[in-house]
């Protein structure tokens, strides 16, 4: 069982930046791909970014490509999401998650462990 805890959310003005962090409870964290998802009110949870277990590969949703950067530190069992040029459309609850699926899973059903979520609000 992997427990995940997000931090770093909050309120920011449009054009600003935030950095989200996710801490994992297990050393086996380094064996899995990890990702970030978000869910806005009234919408389905959507993929934001993922990073492979070795940190050698990343994938991003088109809506955040060029603005967000995902990274991980396996020695510290942590991962991060640097978010720049934020807009009101980025307002959502953000979740970090761990997947036991091989490859580059970008659907919520492919993720086995989830954090509790953290609010990001971007004001216009």
């Amino acid at each position: 069982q992997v427990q995940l805890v997000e931090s770093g959310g909050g309120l920011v003005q449009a054009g600003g930046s935030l950095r989200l962090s996710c801490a994992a409870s297990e050393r086996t964290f380094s064996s899995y791909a990890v990702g970030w998802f978000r869910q806005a009110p009234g919408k389905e949870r959507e993929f934001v970014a993922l990073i492979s277990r070795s940190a050698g590969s990343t994938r991003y949703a088109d809506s955040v490509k060029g603005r967000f950067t995902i990274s991980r530190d396996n020695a510290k069992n942590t991962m991060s999401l640097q978010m720049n040029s934020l807009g009101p459309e980025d307002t959502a609850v953000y979740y970090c998650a761990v997947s036991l699926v091989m490859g580059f899973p970008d659907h919520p059903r492919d993720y086995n462990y989830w954090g509790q979520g953290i609010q990001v609000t971007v004001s216009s």
Side-chain angles (χ1 to χ4, degrees), residues 38-58:
R38 66 187 182 185
Q39 188 165 16
K43 294 188 177 181
E44 294 186 350
R45 192 168 299 187
E46 65 174 1
F47 168 74
V48 174
L50 70 87
I51 187 166
S52 65
R53 59 183 182 177
S54 66
S57 297
T58 57

Side-chain angles (χ1 to χ4, degrees), residues 6-122:
E6 300 100 339
S7 61
L11 174 65
V12 65
Q13 289 187 333
S17 299
L18 278 176
R19 185 177 181 87
L20 303 182
S21 296
C22 178
S25 63
E26 299 291 330
R27 294 180 182 177
T28 52
F29 169 81
S30 63
S31 301
Y32 309 132
V34 294
W36 287 94
F37 290 77
R38 66 187 182 185
Q39 188 165 16
K43 294 188 177 181
E44 294 186 350
R45 192 168 299 187
E46 65 174 1
F47 168 74
V48 174
L50 70 87
I51 187 166
S52 65
R53 59 183 182 177
S54 66
S57 297
T58 57
R59 297 288 189 273
Y60 296 92
D62 288 343
S63 59
V64 307
K65 202 172 293 183
R67 300 188 298 124
F68 291 12
T69 302
I70 189 172
S71 61
R72 68 189 297 168
D73 185 338
N74 287 338
K76 296 181 179 179
N77 291 345
T78 60
M79 69 168 178
S80 298
L81 184 69
Q82 177 66 41
M83 305 185 293
N84 299 328
S85 301
L86 286 162
E89 67 277 11
D90 296 311
T91 294
V93 176
Y94 283 71
Y95 299 88
C96 62
V98 171
S99 174
L100 305 184
V101 173
M102 297 298 292
F104 302 99
D106 60 3
H107 194 281
R109 65 171 174 260
D110 294 326
Y111 283 75
N112 305 85
Y113 304 105
W114 293 83
Q116 79 285 358
I118 192 163
Q119 179 70 45
V120 171
T121 303
V122 184

